[in-house]
């Protein structure tokens, strides 16, 4: 998406469905921390991106909006280069909140980051 954090970090959407959202992100100069590893904040940005897009896909977009309420992340394994892929699945779909579980893996399907993101669902001010 043009002029967004997604563009800046190179995040690309692969698929969006009611059951899963998948996106990729490069591990390069845009997503490195000062020591040449994938920045934890970049992983969190990827996780919140897929959770947000997933929640938006499931709400009534004419009457509701969704925003991030809380996110946590466990950074399991370091990554220096290549591509990571985020797989987000809804763990809870309520009227006012959704909870998404996000697994970020490398090209060998090794777990890089495990995250949980809570989305608030708000009524639009019409």
């Amino acid at each position: 998406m043009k002029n967004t954090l997604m563009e800046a970090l190179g995040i690309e959407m692969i698929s969006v469905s009611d059951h899963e959202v998948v996106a990729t992100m490069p591990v390069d100069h845009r997503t490195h921390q000062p020591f040449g590893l994938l920045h934890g904040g970049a992983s969190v940005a990827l996780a919140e991106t897929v959770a947000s897009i997933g929640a938006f896909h499931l709400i009534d977009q004419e009457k509701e909006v969704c925003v991030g309420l809380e996110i946590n992340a466990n950074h399991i394994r370091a990554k220096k280069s290549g591509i990571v892929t985020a797989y987000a699945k809804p763990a809870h779909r309520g009227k006012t909140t959704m909870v998404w579980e996000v697994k970020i893996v490398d090209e060998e399907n090794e777990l890089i980051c495990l995250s949980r993101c809570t989305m608030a669902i708000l009524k639009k001010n019409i």
Side-chain angles (χ1 to χ4, degrees):
M1 298 187 133
K2 207 99 170 111
N3 299 316
T4 67
L5 185 65
M6 287 178 66
E7 179 183 38
L9 296 180
I11 297 171
E12 293 188 22
M13 296 307 303
I14 303 302
S15 63
V16 179
S17 75
D18 290 355
H19 307 289
E20 184 178 61
V21 177
V22 181
T24 61
M25 182 177 71
V27 180
D28 62 17
H29 68 281
R30 296 170 289 180
T31 57
H32 280 161
Q33 40 93 306
F35 307 109
L37 300 172
L38 175 61
H39 195 295
S43 294
V44 171
L46 175 59
E48 186 157 348
T49 297
V50 290
S52 296
I53 288 172
F56 183 75
H57 175 75
L58 294 175
I59 64 173
D60 181 343
Q61 297 169 13
E62 291 185 16
K63 298 178 182 175
E64 298 171 317
V65 296
C66 58
V67 295
L69 183 63
E70 189 272 341
I71 190 165
N72 68 40
N74 294 102
H75 306 292
I76 309 296
R77 182 173 279 110
K79 179 98 173 123
K80 290 184 177 185
S81 63
I83 300 281
V84 291
T85 303
Y87 296 90
K89 296 183 181 203
H92 165 72
R93 289 179 57 181
K95 292 179 184 175
T96 59
T97 61
M98 286 188 206
V99 178
W100 287 76
E101 294 176 338
V102 182
K103 289 182 181 180
I104 299 175
V105 300
D106 66 10
E107 299 91 339
E108 285 77 43
N109 208 36
E110 293 286 339
L111 186 62
I112 302 298
C113 179
L114 184 60
S115 181
R116 188 180 65 240
C117 184
T118 303
M119 301 298 298
I121 302 162
L122 308 170
K123 299 290 181 200
K124 275 187 179 179
N125 294 330
I126 299 174

